[in-house]
Amino acid sequence: MLHFFIDPFNAYGFMRRALAACFALSLSTAPLGVFLLLRRMSLVGDALSHAILPGVAIGYLISGMSLMAMGIGGFAAGLLVALLSGWVSSMTQLKEDATFAGFYLGSLALGVTLVSLRGSSVDLLHLLFGSILAVDINAIKFVGLIAGFTFLCLALLYRALVIEAFDVAFLRVNRQGYPRVIHGIFLALVVLNLVAGFQILGTLMSVGLMMLPAVAARCWSGHLPVILLIAAAIGLLSSWVGLMWSFYASLPAGPAIVLSASVIFFLSVLLGPRGGCALMLRRRRVLINEEKE
């Protein structure tokens, strides 16, 4: 039985490289997904994953399938959309989620148009859905550097991120302008990790490893450190199971990983003791018993 879980990674180098890249990405993106969830910005990650496409497309048009060029272009495009959305929401009566929706839809359409100018449908599918089994050493180093940098930033800013997530008014009263800096750095980290994920899972799938483990972890605990650990563990498990699923069932690896995370999310919603259906049924049973008494 043990060979069933190990043989694909023991026998094939491309499976080991894909697993290493997914593990690094899971450890990096899952904590960011938790903080997005706490800030009620779950769909912002999805919006930014679409927003990086024009920059990735411009990098592709200039340098072909150059990881560095597409990464720089994607980061610049995502950061620009994040800054513009924040600026428009501060200057108008529109909420930030509404401005994100407007900008990311335009960015997605622009990115697809740019790729179609010189690329083929295969190139477009590669950018949208990734090619995880074609990950090379350079891509692993790229993802590893971003994961390490993200860990360092989260360690330095952990206290401020927690305070902003739960009591942003405290920061505004005590340190004017400080919340905007923290918010900007946080969004930059989100964009940076989505850029790391596009090479592996594509611009449309990369947000899956960011948000699904975070939402699933929230159903199992109410303590933030525990939620962060559970989210990272779910990301690692989803990567392992998804790659095995794709190997034995001949499925696309990226969607298989996200589907694995979706199954864990569904089970967490059903069985999780914190906010899951099991908790709601237990509370309803207690209320019924109290009414009978």
Side-chain angles (χ1 to χ4, degrees):
M1 188 65 176
L2 186 62
H3 292 288
F4 178 83
F5 296 99
I6 295 178
D7 280 350
F9 308 101
N10 187 41
Y12 299 100
F14 67 88
M15 291 292 289
R16 291 194 296 272
R17 290 191 294 271
L19 185 64
C22 282
F23 272 13
L25 190 65
S26 298
L27 292 172
S28 177
T29 58
L32 294 174
V34 171
F35 282 109
L36 282 172
L37 181 65
L38 293 176
R39 293 160 173 254
R40 295 178 176 85
M41 297 173 64
S42 301
L43 293 179
V44 169
D46 183 57
L48 288 175
S49 70
H50 294 75
I52 68 173
L53 186 58
V56 172
I58 292 173
Y60 166 75
L61 292 175
I62 294 174
S63 302
M65 299 303 294
S66 169
L67 178 62
M68 184 60 66
M70 291 190 295
I72 293 174
F75 179 74
L79 194 59
L80 179 62
V81 167
L83 293 174
L84 285 176
S85 298
W87 178 76
V88 171
S89 64
S90 66
M91 298 297 291
T92 65
Q93 294 183 350
L94 293 174
K95 298 292 185 181
E96 192 171 21
D97 59 341
T99 58
F100 265 112
F103 280 112
Y104 100 77
L105 290 171
S107 297
L108 178 62
L110 177 61
V112 173
T113 303
L114 288 174
V115 174
S116 66
L117 291 178
R118 203 181 78 179
S120 63
S121 59
V122 175
D123 297 323
L124 180 58
L125 289 175
H126 172 80
L127 294 178
L128 292 178
F129 299 105
S131 55
I132 186 171
L133 298 182
V135 169
D136 57 14
I137 297 298
N138 291 329
I140 294 176
K141 291 179 179 178
F142 180 70
V143 175
L145 285 173
I146 290 178
F149 178 74
T150 302
F151 264 116
L152 179 62
C153 290
L154 288 177
L156 294 174
L157 300 174
Y158 179 78
R159 182 179 175 83
L161 288 172
V162 172
I163 293 174
E164 190 194 10
F166 290 102
D167 192 7
V168 68
F170 174 80
L171 285 180
R172 288 174 179 168
V173 170
N174 290 273
R175 300 184 182 182
Q176 294 183 357
Y178 188 65
R180 292 184 180 179
V181 174
I182 296 299
H183 187 68
I185 294 175
F186 175 73
L187 288 180
L189 288 175
V190 172
V191 173
L192 191 62
N193 279 267
L194 290 173
V195 168
F198 96 86
Q199 175 69 13
I200 301 173
L201 299 173
T203 58
L204 297 185
M205 294 280 110
S206 58
V207 73
L209 269 184
M210 181 176 289
M211 294 312 308
L212 286 171
V215 179
R218 185 64 182 86
C219 295
W220 294 100
S221 177
H223 301 284
L224 181 56
V226 179
I227 293 174
L228 292 171
L229 290 174
I230 294 175
I234 291 174
L236 296 176
L237 179 62
S238 301
S239 300
W240 188 290
V241 172
L243 286 173
M244 285 199 308
W245 190 7
S246 72
F247 180 81
Y248 288 113
S250 300
L251 296 173
I257 292 172
V258 177
L259 278 174
S260 300
S262 299
V263 171
I264 296 175
F265 159 73
F266 182 70
L267 292 174
S268 300
V269 170
L270 288 178
L271 305 174
R274 299 283 299 186
C277 293
L279 175 64
M280 302 305 295
L281 291 174
R282 200 178 308 123
R283 287 179 176 175
R284 183 174 297 178
R285 194 178 301 116
V286 170
L287 289 175
I288 293 174
N289 291 333
E290 288 179 353
E291 290 177 356
K292 288 181 179 179
E293 293 176 357

PDB file of all heavy atoms in Angstrom, residues 5 48 70-71 235 273:
ATOM      1  N   PHE A   5       1.513   5.121  -2.779  1.00  0.00           N
ATOM      2  CA  PHE A   5       1.637   6.551  -2.513  1.00  0.00           C
ATOM      3  C   PHE A   5       3.011   7.106  -2.872  1.00  0.00           C
ATOM      4  O   PHE A   5       3.144   8.306  -3.118  1.00  0.00           O
ATOM      5  CB  PHE A   5       1.356   6.832  -1.030  1.00  0.00           C
ATOM      6  CG  PHE A   5      -0.047   6.519  -0.598  1.00  0.00           C
ATOM      7  CD1 PHE A   5      -0.347   5.333   0.059  1.00  0.00           C
ATOM      8  CD2 PHE A   5      -1.080   7.404  -0.864  1.00  0.00           C
ATOM      9  CE1 PHE A   5      -1.638   5.043   0.462  1.00  0.00           C
ATOM     10  CE2 PHE A   5      -2.375   7.128  -0.472  1.00  0.00           C
ATOM     11  CZ  PHE A   5      -2.654   5.944   0.185  1.00  0.00           C
ATOM     12  N   LEU A  48      -7.370  39.119  -8.267  1.00  0.00           N
ATOM     13  CA  LEU A  48      -5.970  39.406  -8.556  1.00  0.00           C
ATOM     14  C   LEU A  48      -5.338  38.320  -9.418  1.00  0.00           C
ATOM     15  O   LEU A  48      -4.430  38.602 -10.209  1.00  0.00           O
ATOM     16  CB  LEU A  48      -5.188  39.551  -7.251  1.00  0.00           C
ATOM     17  CG  LEU A  48      -5.478  40.826  -6.453  1.00  0.00           C
ATOM     18  CD1 LEU A  48      -4.731  40.808  -5.125  1.00  0.00           C
ATOM     19  CD2 LEU A  48      -5.085  42.069  -7.260  1.00  0.00           C
ATOM     20  N   MET A  70       7.676  36.946 -17.661  1.00  0.00           N
ATOM     21  CA  MET A  70       6.248  36.815 -17.355  1.00  0.00           C
ATOM     22  C   MET A  70       5.973  37.077 -15.875  1.00  0.00           C
ATOM     23  O   MET A  70       4.929  37.626 -15.522  1.00  0.00           O
ATOM     24  CB  MET A  70       5.757  35.428 -17.762  1.00  0.00           C
ATOM     25  CG  MET A  70       5.728  35.205 -19.262  1.00  0.00           C
ATOM     26  SD  MET A  70       4.883  33.674 -19.745  1.00  0.00           S
ATOM     27  CE  MET A  70       5.979  32.447 -19.032  1.00  0.00           C
ATOM     28  N   GLY A  71       6.924  36.689 -15.009  1.00  0.00           N
ATOM     29  CA  GLY A  71       6.744  36.941 -13.584  1.00  0.00           C
ATOM     30  C   GLY A  71       6.760  38.418 -13.252  1.00  0.00           C
ATOM     31  O   GLY A  71       5.912  38.916 -12.501  1.00  0.00           O
ATOM     32  N   GLY A 235      -3.162  22.204   2.307  1.00  0.00           N
ATOM     33  CA  GLY A 235      -2.512  22.502   1.044  1.00  0.00           C
ATOM     34  C   GLY A 235      -1.512  21.425   0.645  1.00  0.00           C
ATOM     35  O   GLY A 235      -1.469  20.993  -0.516  1.00  0.00           O
ATOM     36  N   PRO A 273     -16.000  20.850  13.210  1.00  0.00           N
ATOM     37  CA  PRO A 273     -16.646  21.217  14.482  1.00  0.00           C
ATOM     38  C   PRO A 273     -16.814  22.714  14.680  1.00  0.00           C
ATOM     39  O   PRO A 273     -17.478  23.140  15.615  1.00  0.00           O
ATOM     40  CB  PRO A 273     -15.677  20.643  15.529  1.00  0.00           C
ATOM     41  CG  PRO A 273     -14.347  20.649  14.854  1.00  0.00           C
ATOM     42  CD  PRO A 273     -14.616  20.377  13.411  1.00  0.00           C
TER      43      PRO A 273
END
